[in-house]
Amino acid sequence: MDTLALPLNVSWRTALRYLVMIIVAVVMLMPMAWMFISSIRPASSIFQYTSILSWRSIFPEVITLDNYREVFRSDFPRAIYNSLFIGIVTVAAGIFVNSAAGFAFAVFDFPFKRTLFLLVMVTFMVPFESIVIPLYQLIRTLGWVNSYQALIVPAIANGFVIFLFRQFVAALPKELYEAARVDGATWWQIYWRIVLPLSFPTIVTAALMMFILQWESFFWPLVAASGDDYTVVQVALARHTTAEHTAWGRLFGSLSITVLIPMALYLLAQRFYIRTIAGSGLK
């Protein structure tokens, strides 16, 4: 009986664990699902069936795309373009700068190396709001207020991304560098042809992180580039709400688009998370 009870016990625990995970997933996804469903309801009926829970609270009686039509007639497409452009340029420049800095911290010995790395660590521990005023003064001195430079350049160097690259490169065997140096490779060739290809999973992780940080940025774009030509998605979302009125239909439509873009990027790139050094070609 004991030998038969053990598999049943394990199966019961596994089923219970999956049941709990499904319940937690449903509870977490319900608000997002309701947002998507509300975006295809007529604006006048979004909150009509929220006081009493019924099938109408979840399934709309009338499906319409009017909310999305209004969104695309507004300045929201321009905000999407701005955020995509800012995010892509920031990622392209940031991967190069941060990976090179991480490589230097991991491989080379130079004066004040530990002190400089400590300062890098401090940069992502300090709240961004504490440096907004001096950063804005610097941007204004350079004449970058209301420009793409104001939104891109301060976000290129990222202390946490430098830390990720430094930890990855430090874990690579030193024999790689020694063999490459014996074959006559320069440090630039080692960085470009060996380290970067091997660090592809780190690059994907860092790229997603930097892109999402730019995609979700609100406070700094509102301060440094408040002009209509440089509006980003988070600022455009906030404009759906005023002290007197909230355009819920357009807000839920805009939110649905805003959520889908980074979600699609994550789903496309998540398979690279499991890449290891061996899988990247080290062996």
Side-chain angles (χ1 to χ4, degrees):
M1 294 296 293
D2 293 339
T3 57
L4 294 175
L6 184 59
L8 292 175
N9 189 34
V10 172
S11 178
W12 177 80
R13 290 182 178 180
T14 302
L16 180 61
R17 184 165 59 249
Y18 277 105
L19 179 62
V20 171
M21 288 191 292
I22 291 172
I23 293 173
V24 171
V26 170
V27 171
M28 294 181 66
L29 291 175
M30 275 300 295
M32 188 176 297
W34 189 83
M35 177 191 70
F36 285 119
I37 293 170
S38 297
S39 69
I40 58 174
R41 294 179 187 266
S44 58
S45 64
I46 290 178
F47 298 103
Q48 186 175 357
Y49 302 104
T50 55
S51 57
I52 299 176
L53 184 63
S54 65
W55 67 269
R56 294 184 180 88
S57 304
I58 302 174
F59 301 101
E61 291 181 306
V62 178
I63 296 177
T64 178
L65 297 178
D66 289 343
N67 295 323
Y68 289 98
R69 293 190 186 99
E70 292 182 14
V71 166
F72 283 102
R73 289 194 198 106
S74 66
D75 60 349
F76 196 72
R78 174 70 185 186
I80 294 176
Y81 167 79
N82 287 336
S83 290
L84 284 174
F85 176 77
I86 292 167
I88 292 171
V89 175
T90 301
V91 167
I95 292 298
F96 175 73
V97 171
N98 295 309
S99 62
F103 176 75
F105 277 117
V107 175
F108 300 129
D109 289 323
F110 48 87
F112 307 108
K113 173 181 174 179
R114 293 186 177 181
T115 304
L116 290 174
F117 187 68
L118 178 62
L119 291 176
V120 169
M121 298 284 288
V122 169
T123 59
F124 65 84
M125 299 178 186
V126 175
F128 177 77
E129 291 76 10
S130 63
I131 63 170
V132 165
I133 293 177
L135 184 58
Y136 179 78
Q137 291 175 340
L138 175 61
I139 293 299
R140 187 177 61 180
T141 302
L142 295 172
W144 288 356
V145 176
N146 279 330
S147 67
Y148 286 120
Q149 299 95 302
L151 301 175
I152 294 172
V153 174
I156 290 177
N158 187 298
F160 186 69
V161 176
I162 294 174
F163 172 76
L164 286 179
F165 278 106
R166 187 265 178 193
Q167 295 300 103
F168 178 85
V169 176
L172 292 175
K174 294 183 178 179
E175 289 79 4
L176 270 176
Y177 311 134
E178 294 173 356
R181 293 292 288 174
V182 169
D183 290 338
T186 64
W187 284 113
W188 167 257
Q189 291 172 327
I190 292 173
Y191 161 75
W192 188 256
R193 296 185 179 181
I194 298 177
V195 173
L196 281 185
L198 291 177
S199 60
F200 189 71
T202 306
I203 291 174
V204 173
T205 303
L208 283 174
M209 183 186 307
M210 296 179 70
F211 181 84
I212 291 175
L213 283 175
Q214 286 290 65
W215 187 259
E216 294 181 348
S217 60
F218 171 76
F219 184 48
W220 177 243
L222 193 63
V223 171
S226 57
D228 292 338
D229 292 338
Y230 304 99
T231 301
V232 296
V233 290
Q234 302 301 328
V235 176
L237 286 174
R239 291 179 178 175
H240 291 306
T241 302
T242 64
E244 296 81 15
H245 174 69
T246 299
W248 291 107
R250 293 199 304 271
L251 178 60
F252 287 140
S254 302
L255 280 170
S256 300
I257 299 170
T258 303
V259 169
L260 284 176
I261 292 176
M263 184 184 298
L265 292 175
Y266 173 77
L267 292 176
L268 289 173
Q270 66 173 343
R271 64 192 182 93
F272 295 111
Y273 283 3
I274 58 174
R275 287 283 188 91
T276 60
I277 296 176
S280 300
L282 179 60
K283 63 183 181 181

